[in-house]
């Protein structure tokens, strides 16, 4: 049975207020499917009972659990591949040359999910830029979901996950088998600093960023939320830094402070001079 309009409206508002994510009308089935296990784990007979309990309390751990259950965490290693090629062939060589004196580089994966994206960056740095070993490189990976952050920090991936996008030589070099899972090496895990950051709330102190990956998260937000997040990203990005969005995302008509830069098959963004 699908949830009623009143319950659906409550869940939509909760999700938007807590995460900035929008839930389109017609997604009642999704709410029902995702929240049924949460209701069961909480000893409640139905999603309606779960929502009734949520209504009675100010936002607490149960509300967070519900929000996490509704958010999409889809990701994979080297997702869409071209941005990573561009990082390797154009952007990192350029920024490394520019930062040769300071020997400092700051990178941020701002919706890192279960870690495949920041670990892809970390492997790319390890493989192609050994000179950075003596630099101060800060690679921050953040997400709103503590569940995915914990998975990311542990660095265990299923066979299916390592089959998606990860080149076999990197699997052999940087992962070891642990039962049915593959764990990414400590050498790579050490390179990534995981943090809980909700993009629509105050951010913990972050350094000026040379590279920001904000991929496949704005797509779920309404226009006002996209504008707010992009404005904050703009304030954090170095004047010669680069912002990467997902393939279906853009700054166009949202933030005129960014200008589009195209590298072959990759689109990224810089601050308008
Ligand atoms: C679809 S995944 C994208 C992961 C990765 N960036 C990629 O492109 O493969 C979106 C991620 O954004 C996170 N997210 C959603 N709302 C967020 C918010 N308000 N603040 C921070 N992260 C958020 C989700 O938890 C999820 O892990």
């Amino acid at each position: 049975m699908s949830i009623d309009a009143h319950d659906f409206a409550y869940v939509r508002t909760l999700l938007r207020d807590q995460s900035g994510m929008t839930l389109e009308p017609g997604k009642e089935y999704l709410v029902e499917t995702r929240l049924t296990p949460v209701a069961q784990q909480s000893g409640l007979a139905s999603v309606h009972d779960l929502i009734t309990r949520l209504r009675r309390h100010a936002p607490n751990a149960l509300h967070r659990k519900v929000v996490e259950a509704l958010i999409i965490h889809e990701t994979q290693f080297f997702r869409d591949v071209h941005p990573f090629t561009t990082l390797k062939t154009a952007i990192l060589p350029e920024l490394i040359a520019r930062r040769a004196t300071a020997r400092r580089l700051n990178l941020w994966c701002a919706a890192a999910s279960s870690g495949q994206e920041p670990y892809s960056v970390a492997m790319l740095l390890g493989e192609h830029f050994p000179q950075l070993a003596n630099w101060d490189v800060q690679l921050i990976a953040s997400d709103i979901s503590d569940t995915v952050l914990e998975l990311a920090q542990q660095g265990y991936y299923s066979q299916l996950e390592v089959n998606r996008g990860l080149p076999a030589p990197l699997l052999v070099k940087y992962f070891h088998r642990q039962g049915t899972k593959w764990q990414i090496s400590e050498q790579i895990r050490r390179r990534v600093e995981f943090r809980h950051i909700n993009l629509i709330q105050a951010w913990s102190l972050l350094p000026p960023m040379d590279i920001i990956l904000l991929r496949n998260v704005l797509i779920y937000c309404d226009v006002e939320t996209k504008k707010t997040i992009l404005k904050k990203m703009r304030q954090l990005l170095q004047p010669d830094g680069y912002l990467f969005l997902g393939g279906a995302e853009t700054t166009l008509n949202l933030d005129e402070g960014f200008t589009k830069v195209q590298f072959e098959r990759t689109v990224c963004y810089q601050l308008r001079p």
Side-chain angles (χ1 to χ4, degrees):
M1 194 191 73
S2 194
I3 66 167
D4 66 28
H6 186 52
D7 283 352
F8 184 63
Y10 173 85
V11 172
R12 280 183 79 179
T13 305
L14 176 72
L15 186 66
R16 197 203 52 225
D17 290 353
Q18 301 294 313
S19 73
M21 304 286 107
T22 54
L23 200 55
E24 300 307 325
K27 291 281 171 76
E28 288 83 352
Y29 70 94
L30 188 125
V31 173
E32 186 75 34
T33 317
R34 297 272 182 95
L35 297 192
T36 298
V38 181
Q40 286 166 351
Q41 284 156 21
S42 310
L44 296 163
S46 66
V47 172
H48 173 71
D49 288 355
L50 173 66
I51 295 169
T52 305
R53 179 176 287 183
L54 296 173
R55 284 182 197 281
R56 287 201 192 116
H57 300 276
N60 62 26
L62 188 59
H63 295 76
R64 278 199 297 281
K65 219 174 191 181
V66 163
V67 169
E68 288 208 5
L70 292 168
I71 287 180
I72 292 164
H73 301 294
E74 170 69 19
T75 189
Q76 65 176 76
F77 289 102
F78 296 96
R79 184 173 186 175
D80 304 334
V81 73
H82 301 297
F84 295 93
T85 307
T86 298
L87 278 174
K88 181 178 86 181
T89 58
I91 289 178
L92 280 162
E94 175 193 314
L95 288 175
I96 288 170
R98 284 173 182 264
R99 308 282 187 268
T101 311
R103 296 165 81 85
R104 176 191 295 270
L105 214 47
N106 296 320
L107 305 92
W108 181 24
C109 292
S113 189
S114 39
Q116 285 91 329
E117 183 179 80
Y119 287 143
S120 298
V121 174
M123 286 187 277
L124 188 146
L125 294 176
E127 281 294 285
H128 302 287
F129 302 97
Q131 68 271 42
L132 294 179
N134 304 322
W135 284 41
D136 180 3
V137 178
Q138 197 172 9
L139 172 50
I140 296 172
S142 64
D143 203 279
I144 188 178
S145 162
D146 289 331
T147 310
V148 290
L149 282 173
E150 203 177 314
L151 287 172
Q153 263 165 316
Q154 290 168 356
Y156 286 100
Y157 297 98
S158 67
Q159 187 67 50
L160 199 72
E161 286 170 319
V162 297
N163 283 349
R164 296 179 68 208
L166 183 67
L170 296 186
L171 176 64
V172 172
K173 186 166 175 183
Y174 292 115
F175 291 75
H176 53 274
R177 248 208 133 98
Q178 294 271 17
T180 58
K181 299 268 188 180
W182 292 88
Q183 189 180 28
I184 196 158
S185 70
E186 206 201 325
Q187 173 201 352
I188 296 296
R189 267 182 290 144
R190 262 203 322 255
R191 284 176 175 256
V192 184
E193 180 189 327
F194 288 98
R195 291 194 197 176
H196 176 107
I197 297 177
N198 183 342
L199 293 170
I200 66 158
Q201 292 176 356
W203 300 350
S204 57
L205 195 64
L206 290 162
M209 289 293 166
D210 300 299
I211 296 170
I212 299 175
L213 279 73
L214 176 69
R215 300 169 71 223
N216 304 299
V217 61
L218 291 186
I219 195 169
Y220 303 109
C221 302
D222 61 31
V223 168
E224 281 318 305
T225 308
K226 288 182 205 200
K227 284 184 176 174
T228 308
I229 295 174
L230 283 172
K231 185 174 174 200
K232 286 172 78 179
M233 290 290 166
R234 182 153 51 76
Q235 288 159 354
L236 200 66
L237 193 64
Q238 294 270 28
D240 58 353
Y242 290 90
L243 169 74
F244 287 81
L245 300 177
E249 296 163 335
T250 178
T251 62
L252 205 71
N253 298 327
L254 293 169
D255 194 319
E256 299 315 313
F258 284 106
T259 178
K260 185 169 128 178
V261 187
Q262 180 115 23
F263 291 90
E264 298 186 355
R265 296 180 68 179
T266 305
V267 170
C268 50
Y269 300 87
Q270 286 203 289
L271 300 185
R272 198 176 285 284

